[in-house]
Amino acid sequence: MEQKKQAMDVLSASLSERGASTTKAIMQLEGVLHVLENRPAGSDHRDPEKYYFSIFGEPSADKPWGWRIEGHHLSLNYSSAKGKIYSATPLFFGTNPARVPANMPLPEGTEVLQKETQMGFDLLHSLTSEQKAIAKTSKKAPYDMVSSNNKVAVVNQSEGLSYERMSTDQKEAFTNMLRYYIRRAPYGFATELLQKVENVGFEHLRFVWMGAEEWGAGHYYRISHPVILVEYDCTQNNANHVHTVVSDLTNDWGEDLIQKHIREDH
């Protein structure tokens, strides 16, 4: 029990308070899947405790090291240097089911990533027909993230509606959505990542939508920028299965830190 407590302490220290509570809620959805998939009583295939903690290097207050927390619908990746989190991306949260049906271990209608879903629809529905014609690049949503699970996240940065074409209210809603995703991470790292985006300029932000414009059919959106990429996809399991990911396109996997370490120490 002490080791489990310490593991959860690591998880809580790796995320903001909201990010940690969302992570724990995602874990609890495994109990719902156990019932939905008619798993036998002794099966651990869908187990809320079936998550893995990996350490890379020796934890240190000054030297580089890293850790990962991984399991169904969670992938949290960290690098540390000089006693602080240097990289906290890619950061993947998913939910299945996105909305919990009746007669499950969790209350009917539980929607762990409800805010992410609603913000996307709210921004889409605020667009004029002319704006929507630019933002919506396909009538069909992709089956999963456009960037997939590739080591380097790549999307078409020229697609979508630019920040500069949005109204003042739309710009505020768009940047609030971006901040909401970034603030899954602890305050210090989240603040620095947001500052990197601001330094390059919000004017480079773009919003892309694909698929259905209402809940119930496959839909996808993304926020793209030279520094950051956010993707949201809800297509699988009759469009009741959400994937989201945040990538720092300048430093996913702590790549800058690794390159610096190799260059200076090897």
Side-chain angles (χ1 to χ4, degrees):
M1 289 300 296
E2 181 59 27
Q3 289 177 335
K4 289 180 180 179
K5 178 185 179 302
Q6 290 176 355
M8 296 309 290
D9 287 346
V10 170
L11 185 148
S12 295
S14 302
L15 295 156
S16 65
E17 184 176 352
R18 172 170 57 80
S21 64
T22 301
T23 298
K24 293 169 186 176
I26 289 170
M27 291 175 169
Q28 293 308 307
L29 287 173
E30 294 302 286
V32 175
L33 283 178
H34 183 95
V35 176
L36 281 174
E37 295 172 353
N38 295 312
R39 299 284 174 183
S43 172
D44 69 348
H45 185 74
R46 299 298 186 192
D47 186 339
E49 293 190 346
K50 200 172 184 179
Y51 289 83
Y52 298 84
F53 291 71
S54 304
I55 304 295
F56 304 97
E58 188 74 24
S60 170
D62 51 6
K63 295 179 182 178
W65 66 289
W67 66 102
R68 180 176 66 206
I69 303 168
E70 189 96 17
H72 187 221
H73 279 152
L74 285 176
S75 183
L76 316 178
N77 302 275
Y78 300 93
S79 298
S80 175
K82 297 181 180 178
K84 72 173 189 176
I85 293 176
Y86 186 84
S87 172
T89 62
L91 197 162
F92 174 90
F93 283 178
T95 54
N96 179 23
R99 292 182 179 175
V100 174
N103 303 313
M104 290 291 131
L106 295 177
E108 180 179 2
T110 296
E111 190 175 352
V112 176
L113 297 181
Q114 188 274 338
K115 183 76 171 179
E116 288 84 344
T117 298
Q118 193 60 52
M119 287 190 298
F121 279 123
D122 286 347
L123 181 57
L124 176 71
H125 295 155
S126 77
L127 302 181
T128 65
S129 56
E130 291 80 10
Q131 289 174 316
K132 191 182 293 183
I134 299 170
K136 191 170 180 179
T137 61
S138 174
K139 292 181 180 180
K140 183 178 180 181
Y143 182 72
D144 207 339
M145 306 298 184
V146 171
S147 62
S148 188
N149 60 350
N150 298 319
K151 178 184 176 183
V152 179
V154 177
V155 296
N156 186 343
Q157 291 274 358
S158 65
E159 288 184 329
L161 180 68
S162 70
Y163 177 83
E164 293 182 314
R165 285 177 174 262
M166 295 180 180
S167 69
T168 300
D169 287 346
Q170 290 167 344
K171 287 176 179 177
E172 183 178 4
F174 192 29
T175 54
N176 283 343
M177 181 161 63
L178 175 64
R179 289 185 177 96
Y180 190 84
Y181 275 99
I182 290 176
R183 286 173 180 161
R184 291 174 171 176
Y187 177 80
F189 175 83
T191 301
E192 291 180 2
L193 180 54
L194 184 61
Q195 189 62 56
K196 280 169 53 173
V197 176
E198 291 188 24
N199 289 345
V200 173
F202 281 163
E203 65 269 21
H204 298 289
L205 286 165
R206 287 182 177 268
F207 178 64
V208 169
W209 187 277
M210 299 186 204
E213 297 181 18
E214 301 290 343
W215 178 267
H219 54 283
Y220 163 97
Y221 70 78
R222 74 169 174 259
I223 303 168
S224 64
H225 184 273
V227 169
I228 198 165
L229 172 66
V230 175
E231 288 189 273
Y232 167 106
D233 185 82
C234 182
T235 55
Q236 300 173 43
N237 296 94
N238 297 314
N240 192 27
H241 182 153
V242 170
H243 287 173
T244 69
V245 68
V246 180
S247 290
D248 178 351
L249 300 182
T250 68
N251 195 31
D252 262 359
W253 316 104
E255 192 167 19
D256 279 0
L257 178 62
I258 294 169
Q259 290 176 345
K260 182 175 182 292
H261 175 64
I262 293 172
R263 184 172 61 250
E264 295 181 358
D265 298 334
H266 296 276

